[in-house]
Structures are given as C-alpha cells and as structure tokens.
Amino acid sequence: MAQTVETIARALNARAEGDLQLPIEGASEPSAAGERQIALAMDPKYAPGITQGKARAAILWEGADWQSYGLSAAIFVARPRLAMAGLSKAFDPGPEIAPGIHPTAVIDPTAEIGADPAIGPFVVIGRGVRIGANARIAAHVVISEGARIGADALVLQGAKIGARVVIGDRFICQPGAVIGADGFSFVTPEKSGIEEIRETLGHREEIRQQSWTRIHSLGTVEIGDDVEIGANACIDRGTVRATSIGRGTKLDNLVHVGHNVQVGEDCLLCGQVGIAGSTRIGNRVVLGGQCGVSDNIFVGDDVIAGGATKIMSNAPAGRVLLGYPAIKMDTHVEAWKNIRRLSRLFAQVSELRETVTKLAQKGSAE
C-alpha cells in the first residue's frame, strides 16, 4: 500500500515538511527502517536510531530538527499513540476476502444481504438473516436464523453469531468469537448449597445431594454501533431480556460476558475479563486484564479497575479500583506497603518485648 509523505500527513491530520511526494511503503522502528519506510521516532529518545537506519522520512515530535538527522522529509505529531492509530489504518490492507459470494457459502434463500458483500468460503447464513451493505465475512463464519447485522461489518474466521442477535453498524468481530450462546443458568428443586452460602456467608446446615435443572435462554444479544469483539470472546444471550453491549465498546480476546449483563458505551474490557450474569456496567468503564465482576451488581460510569481486580459489590461512578476484593487503588497500594513493612514491625515489637521483659526483671530484682 504505497503512500507518500503528504498522504500520510493528511491521514494523521499532521504538519509535514520536506519532500512531500517521497514514496512510503511501510513503517518501521528507526534503526531497522529501509529507504521506503517511514521511521517512527515520535519521542526524542528514539531519534538516535534514525541515523542507524536508512529511512529518508520520519514521524517526529513537534519542534524536532528533522534536517539534522539527514532526512528528506518529516511529519510532526503531538500525540504519538493517536498518530499510530491513523498510521496503522493507512497501511493496513485488512483481511483478504474476495468480493462477491463464494460458491461454497450456504445462504438461506430468505436471508437479505446488502450491496457489495464479500462472503468467504464455507460461510453459513441462516433463515431470515439481514446483513447491511459492504459486509466482509471470512471463511467458516456461521450467522444463525433471524440475526441482524448493520452496514460495514467485518466478521472474521470461525466466528459464530447466534439466533436473533442484533448488531449495529461498523461491527468488527475477531476469529472464533461466539455471540449468543445460551447463558449458564441452572436451578435445583430445593434450595442449593450455593444459595445457602450466599445467605449465611459460609455456614451450611446440611450437605445433601442436589441435581441441576437447566434454565433456557429465551432472550438474545443486542450490540450497538462501532463495537469490536476480540478473538474467542463469548457473549451469552439473556434469559428473558437481551444481554446488551453499548455503542463504541471494545472487548479484548477471551472476554466472557454472562447472561443478562448490560455493558454501557465506550467501555474497554481487556483480556480474560469475566462479567457474571445480570450485572450492569456503566459508560466508559475500563476493566484491566483478568478482572472479574460478580453477578447482580452495578459498576458505575467511568470506573477504572486495574488488572486482576475482583469487583464483588457495587462500585460508584468514577472509582479507581484494585485488588481482591476490589478497594480504592490508593488504599490498596498503601495496604501493600504496610504489608511489606510487617516483618520490620514484627522485629521491632519483638525487640521491644525483650526490652520490657528485661526492665521488668530488673525492677523485680531491685
């Protein structure tokens, strides 16, 4: 995907100087860059690598003296990570899915496919499915009966979208994700040990045999616009009402969203996050990798939870959490500082006790 310095600068909405028609075929770290690659040195600490590579153009920080590095052109950015978003988009060709419908695809005659589709081999699309324009659906995807997907969808290899799932526009689904599997919901004829423990916080009157009866999932999954689902993520359908994912929310690989969960808008759920059933997650919530959220609680808007945090009770809006169980991050950090001081404290107490004992013995002898 050949570009020029000028087209890259335009994509980044950034200022450029020098030979703006210089052809660029890719991006690289400065020391490894070739002549037709643009060096990424958006922080001064990476600049020395420019002279070790062969790049003729670089993306630099504002105010950099680009000519001193022997460059022919430079682009200047104020926010490097945002620049990477634009740069990566400019050079990403996307998955190779041939336009049209592959002859091995199995599409029910009642399904409605929008204009300009690209549907790969061995895709299965069920009865009454509706898919918007410009859909790109890679090999071995299954979209079950009654599902609806908006325009400009990208659904990658082996993803499974269940019956009656509703998805908005510009949806991205990474390989192997499962959207709309049944929820994990079971009940016993008598009060189960789990129910008893939840009421007593650990005490059981009697341990007895119990068997599980399945609660079927009659609801579906509803997903807003501009949502991305990571590889092998799982979103369970609701028991009666829909499990929902709000507009702009992004799920990382291996995230699990349980039945009846409601996730708000513009959230980030990082790898291996698990959210138990019937929990509500507010808007702009960030859950770090391996966070767990208990069932039937509420996590307020703008909550940020560090990696491996376990949220077991309602979290107020704007709270920053860490630990198991989750507490305020600054409290958690201070608590662990105190734990690290315990050995010194124990030694001091032991020394003090010996001193007191000696003084007492001395006093009694006198």
Side-chain angles (χ1 to χ4, degrees), residues 25-285:
E25 295 179 353
S28 176
E29 294 180 356
S31 60
E35 290 185 0
R36 298 178 74 88
Q37 292 179 307
I38 192 163
L40 305 180
M42 294 168 277
D43 187 292
K45 65 183 178 182
Y46 301 121
I50 296 174
T51 57
Q52 300 172 26
K54 298 179 180 179
R56 298 174 60 197
I59 302 179
L60 303 173
W61 65 98
E62 281 287 357
D65 182 6
W66 61 276
Q67 291 173 316
S68 67
Y69 298 108
L71 297 168
S72 300
I75 298 172
F76 304 94
V77 297
R79 183 161 165 73
R81 192 163 177 81
L82 185 60
M84 281 300 301
L87 182 70
S88 59
K89 182 178 180 180
F91 281 106
D92 183 8
E96 189 172 305
I97 307 172
I101 299 174
H102 194 276
T104 62
V106 179
I107 301 177
D108 190 278
T110 63
E112 300 177 17
I113 310 297
D116 302 317
I119 298 177
F122 304 108
V123 169
V124 177
I125 298 177
R127 174 181 53 80
V129 169
R130 285 191 285 164
I131 300 175
N134 305 313
R136 291 183 292 161
I137 302 175
H140 295 280
V141 168
V142 176
I143 303 175
S144 299
E145 66 274 12
R148 294 186 315 207
I149 303 175
D152 302 304
L154 173 61
V155 184
L156 293 174
Q157 293 84 352
K160 307 294 189 291
I161 297 174
R164 304 180 305 283
V165 168
V166 179
I167 300 173
D169 295 338
R170 296 172 298 280
F171 176 62
I172 297 176
C173 186
Q174 298 294 337
V178 178
I179 302 170
D182 281 353
F184 190 74
S185 193
F186 299 88
V187 65
T188 54
E190 312 83 17
K191 182 182 288 187
S192 69
I194 295 173
E195 293 172 278
E196 187 177 1
I197 287 170
R198 291 188 74 146
E199 291 174 357
T200 64
L201 296 181
H203 177 70
R204 299 181 68 176
E205 291 289 343
E206 179 186 359
I207 297 177
R208 55 188 176 274
Q209 184 176 349
Q210 58 184 27
S211 59
W212 299 100
T213 299
R214 191 174 196 270
I215 298 175
H216 291 252
S217 298
L218 306 179
T220 185
V221 177
E222 297 177 352
I223 296 177
D225 295 339
D226 300 299
V227 169
E228 180 163 349
I229 307 298
N232 295 321
C234 296
I235 305 173
D236 292 347
R237 64 177 62 248
T239 305
V240 177
R241 60 178 168 84
T243 302
S244 64
I245 308 293
R247 175 195 58 78
T249 285
K250 318 298 182 187
L251 275 63
D252 196 1
N253 301 341
L254 299 170
V255 167
H256 179 210
V257 177
H259 63 278
N260 300 338
V261 168
Q262 296 175 281
V263 178
E265 298 181 350
D266 293 312
C267 296
L268 284 180
L269 309 184
C270 302
Q272 299 183 337
V273 160
I275 303 175
S278 300
T279 282
R280 291 181 295 140
I281 307 292
N283 299 323
R284 300 172 301 279
V285 171

Side-chain angles (χ1 to χ4, degrees), residues 228 314 345:
E228 180 163 349
N314 292 337
L345 177 61

Side-chain angles (χ1 to χ4, degrees), residues 302-354:
D302 303 296
V303 165
I304 297 175
T309 294
K310 303 299 180 280
I311 304 175
M312 305 176 73
S313 59
N314 292 337
R319 184 64 55 88
V320 181
L321 300 171
L322 188 63
Y324 181 6
I327 57 177
K328 287 172 36 173
M329 184 175 284
D330 54 358
T331 303
H332 181 276
V333 171
E334 186 61 31
W336 276 102
K337 286 180 180 178
N338 290 335
I339 288 172
R340 293 177 63 185
R341 298 184 184 114
L342 282 178
S343 59
R344 184 173 60 191
L345 177 61
F346 289 152
Q348 291 171 341
V349 170
S350 178
E351 182 181 345
L352 180 61
R353 184 168 55 190
E354 290 179 9

